[in-house]
Amino acid sequence: MAERVIPVIAHRPAGRPVRAPDHALPASGRVADRLGRPLRDLRISVTDRCNFRCSYCMPKEVFDKNYPYLPHAELLSFEEITRLARQFVAHGVRKIRLTGGEPLLRKNIEVLIEQLAALRTPEGAPLDLTLTTNGSLLARKARALKEAGLQRVTVSLDGLDDAVFRRMNDVDFPVAEVLAGIDAAREAGLGPIKVNMVVKRGTNDHEILPMARHFRGTGHVLRFIEYMDVGATNGWRMDEVLPSAEVVRHIGAEMPLRALDASAAGETAERWSYADGSGEIGVISSVTQAFCGDCNRARLSTEGQLYLCLFASQGHDLRGLLRGGASDEQLAGAIAHIWQGRSDRYSQLRGQQAPDASAPGARRVEMSYIGG
Ligand code: SAM
Ligand code: SF4
Ligand code: SF4
């Protein structure tokens, strides 16, 4: 059989070259984009590799042994990441989330965490430093992560039924090991722990109630994420999206729920508490209810491209600027300049115009590359 060739360009388009602006744009901590949205949340993808093959993210047929993952020299080093992060913090970032791919696969990730934990806001406060993981290596690493300065973790888990979970991660990984990872994170003090469940209608929607029952009363916050049309490889179909409103109705019928106020502006999850006080859940309605209006998230890809939206087709090449010898002031100026030009609001527009993923320039990058 002929070997399938995957064009690298389809998944990692070359970034737009970034120039240092002619006029210095000093960091005031209040940079805003064209829709008046501040810069508060930075998600950093530390690797494009993963030991799972969740079909909605890294389907096996595409991410096989021939997939052109980035060679080590292409990745931002820890020093480069920290240097960039410092400039983002000067512009108003207060929360950093490490993600991937699977972030715990990046060698010596604790060293990066130590460096990021040492950063301070202009007011001298530490950052909200967190990490999203599939949990497979958490039992082994939780203590070291906490000691390095990580504050909390979000663990992805798509069901409690072992057969369903093994099928969804598509590498036959057992659910018990992820649950052990969550326990280890709690013991290490990496809480409050959030547990993310991507819901695919017809695949794991029957796991909603067992998951809710299991995590109720544990102090962990279970969040249900609508299956998104991110990337270009997961074969997304609208009829596989289960609207969050249905999730809330379903759980509420057995365990009455009360709506809570958002805990912070730009918060992606709508929060609900159990009426009897036994905990909280969240729903992330990325498809059925756009939350672009106060989206304050920037994403730094594994190779140092700045993406202004999860659905962007191109990033801004900060690594080129960094490796070209730019000063801190030039980096800060470039970041401000890029953010000030931002007008992305894909989810809001999704309902109005059907995106054509096959149109030139419309190829969206994969979530494993820019981070969830
Ligand atoms: N590997 C880590 C993990 O799974 O937690 C971190 C990276 S993963 C890309 C980040 C988050 O994105 C996970 O919670 C995952 O479930 C979610 N995700 C990936 N593809 C998705 C999709 N098509 N729709 C909704 N959520 C998705
Ligand atoms: Fe890996 Fe996370 Fe994507 Fe699953 S969702 S394939 S664990 S990066
Ligand atoms: Fe933010 Fe883009 Fe998602 Fe809208 S679609 S909430 S702009 S990342």
Side-chain angles (χ1 to χ4, degrees):
M1 200 170 68
E3 206 170 81
R4 197 161 44 89
V5 177
I6 299 159
V8 183
I9 195 75
H11 304 293
R12 286 193 299 267
R16 276 176 222 160
V18 177
R19 266 189 333 110
D22 299 332
H23 306 292
L25 286 167
S28 63
R30 287 191 300 274
V31 67
D33 72 8
R34 281 162 64 183
L35 303 176
R37 299 170 295 188
L39 175 54
R40 291 280 178 266
D41 182 332
L42 178 64
R43 303 187 174 197
I44 304 173
S45 173
V46 294
T47 176
D48 59 345
R49 291 165 198 255
C50 188
N51 53 345
F52 283 13
R53 285 293 175 273
C54 310
S55 59
Y56 53 72
C57 179
M58 295 179 75
K60 229 175 199 168
E61 311 74 55
V62 176
F63 294 87
D64 58 11
K65 64 180 185 352
N66 299 314
Y67 187 82
Y69 294 102
L70 289 166
H72 193 75
E74 299 284 319
L75 312 188
L76 287 187
S77 70
F78 292 165
E79 288 67 29
E80 287 173 327
I81 291 175
T82 305
R83 195 167 159 222
L84 282 176
R86 190 175 294 117
Q87 313 313 320
F88 278 95
V89 171
H91 280 306
V93 161
R94 295 293 172 264
K95 176 170 163 187
I96 292 185
R97 176 179 297 280
L98 299 180
T99 177
E102 173 46 42
L104 298 187
L105 287 182
R106 178 84 186 250
K107 223 170 142 200
N108 302 323
I109 185 76
E110 303 80 1
V111 174
L112 173 64
I113 290 170
E114 261 174 41
Q115 293 177 9
L116 295 173
L119 295 179
R120 292 291 175 269
T121 69
E123 299 78 37
L127 301 173
D128 181 6
L129 185 57
T130 176
L131 175 147
T132 303
T133 172
N134 62 25
S136 59
L137 300 168
L138 204 46
R140 238 177 293 162
K141 296 202 169 199
R143 190 163 298 280
L145 295 171
K146 177 70 185 179
E147 280 165 11
L150 190 70
Q151 288 166 357
R152 14 183 221 104
V153 286
T154 297
V155 182
S156 302
L157 179 62
D158 294 333
L160 284 176
D161 181 291
D162 198 48
V164 170
F165 183 64
R166 284 176 191 256
R167 229 179 2 259
M168 284 189 79
N169 64 53
D170 213 9
V171 292
D172 212 25
F173 197 87
V175 77
E177 286 192 40
V178 178
L179 293 173
I182 294 174
D183 287 345
R186 191 198 49 227
E187 281 157 27
L190 286 169
I193 296 170
K194 291 179 183 159
V195 178
N196 277 358
M197 172 178 177
V198 175
V199 181
K200 263 183 101 170
R201 195 199 287 273
T203 301
N204 66 339
D205 45 346
H206 57 291
E207 286 294 295
I208 293 171
L209 278 175
M211 286 282 282
R213 290 182 197 123
H214 181 86
F215 287 107
R216 184 181 179 190
T218 60
H220 308 330
V221 179
L222 177 59
R223 307 185 321 160
F224 300 91
I225 307 180
E226 286 177 355
Y227 169 39
M228 280 188 285
D229 49 334
V230 68
T233 58
N234 64 11
W236 182 86
R237 293 201 332 245
M238 186 66 201
D239 61 4
E240 288 184 311
V241 177
L242 187 81
S244 294
E246 281 189 43
V247 173
V248 170
R249 234 185 344 263
H250 203 46
I251 296 176
E254 178 179 315
M255 299 166 258
L257 293 168
R258 263 197 229 118
L260 292 172
D261 290 338
S263 53
E267 178 75 63
T268 50
E270 183 185 292
R271 300 167 59 221
W272 295 79
S273 72
Y274 291 111
D276 65 0
S278 57
E280 173 181 333
I281 63 161
V283 289
I284 302 181
S285 318
S286 358
V287 178
T288 60
Q289 230 178 355
F291 40 74
C292 303
D294 51 6
C295 176
N296 52 24
R297 291 177 290 284
R299 292 178 161 82
L300 188 60
S301 79
T302 320
E303 56 180 339
Q305 290 191 24
L306 174 58
Y307 280 83
L308 303 176
C309 176
L310 187 51
F311 297 93
S313 53
Q314 209 184 14
H316 300 261
D317 184 18
L318 289 181
R319 189 189 66 185
L321 193 63
L322 193 66
R323 295 193 180 169
S327 66
D328 282 353
E329 290 70 28
Q330 288 174 319
L331 289 174
I335 291 167
H337 196 69
I338 295 167
W339 190 259
Q340 285 174 340
R342 175 183 189 246
S343 59
D344 302 63
R345 50 188 185 115
Y346 174 86
S347 289
Q348 230 165 36
L349 299 176
R350 177 202 279 118
Q352 298 163 22
Q353 58 200 43
D356 177 2
S358 63
R363 296 303 296 258
R364 299 193 294 263
V365 285
E366 299 301 322
M367 201 157 174
S368 48
Y369 166 64
I370 57 170

